[in-house]
Amino acid sequence: MGAFRLGGYSRCMTSQPENSSSVQRKLQLRRAPKYVPFLILGGLLGVAVAAFLSFNFSGSAEFDSSSVFGLFTVLLILPGMGVGALAALLLDRQGRRKSTTLLVEHVSDDGNDVTAEHA
């Protein structure tokens, strides 16, 4: 399996098994999101929700609003990251549906050149 980057998305190519003597291969080209930015954005969303909850609602006089913010931050970062991962998975599934199949043929006159045609 190979991968290359184009336009901010990484593109994954997976090959389908064929005869080893064949010079043509079918490759599947699809857009795949990067998961780490979605996880970071989801974590920041959890922090934003924690800030909203702790500073907009009046709590008891026993706890300071900054300590409530710290508690809510710890409790809401992981669910926020889960929401970000879910968004990345949904975009990945959409990218799989819109994948294209390429027919790749090895050209031996220039060394390792590869030409591709839509199958």
Side-chain angles (χ1 to χ4, degrees):
M1 177 188 316
F4 64 95
R5 212 181 139 155
L6 181 65
Y9 284 90
S10 55
R11 296 205 177 228
C12 296
M13 294 188 300
T14 57
S15 62
Q16 297 175 354
E18 292 193 13
N19 295 337
S20 60
S21 63
S22 177
V23 292
Q24 293 184 348
R25 291 176 45 188
K26 288 184 180 180
L27 298 177
Q28 191 126 31
L29 182 69
R30 66 180 180 93
R31 294 180 75 160
K34 295 182 179 182
Y35 286 88
V36 173
F38 281 93
L39 292 174
I40 291 172
L41 188 63
L44 290 175
L45 178 69
V47 171
V49 170
F52 177 77
L53 291 175
S54 62
F55 295 123
N56 285 335
F57 297 111
S58 61
S60 66
E62 184 179 351
F63 298 109
D64 187 26
S65 63
S66 63
S67 62
V68 173
F69 171 68
L71 176 69
F72 280 161
T73 300
V74 169
L75 292 176
L76 294 176
I77 280 182
L78 285 178
M81 290 174 72
V83 168
L86 183 64
L89 285 173
L90 290 174
L91 286 174
D92 188 33
R93 178 173 283 197
Q94 184 181 19
R96 286 184 187 198
R97 277 190 262 147
K98 293 182 178 181
S99 66
T100 59
T101 302
L102 300 175
L103 183 61
V104 179
E105 184 176 298
H106 186 268
V107 176
S108 61
D109 57 26
D110 283 341
N112 293 332
D113 289 344
V114 176
T115 60
E117 298 177 12
H118 287 292

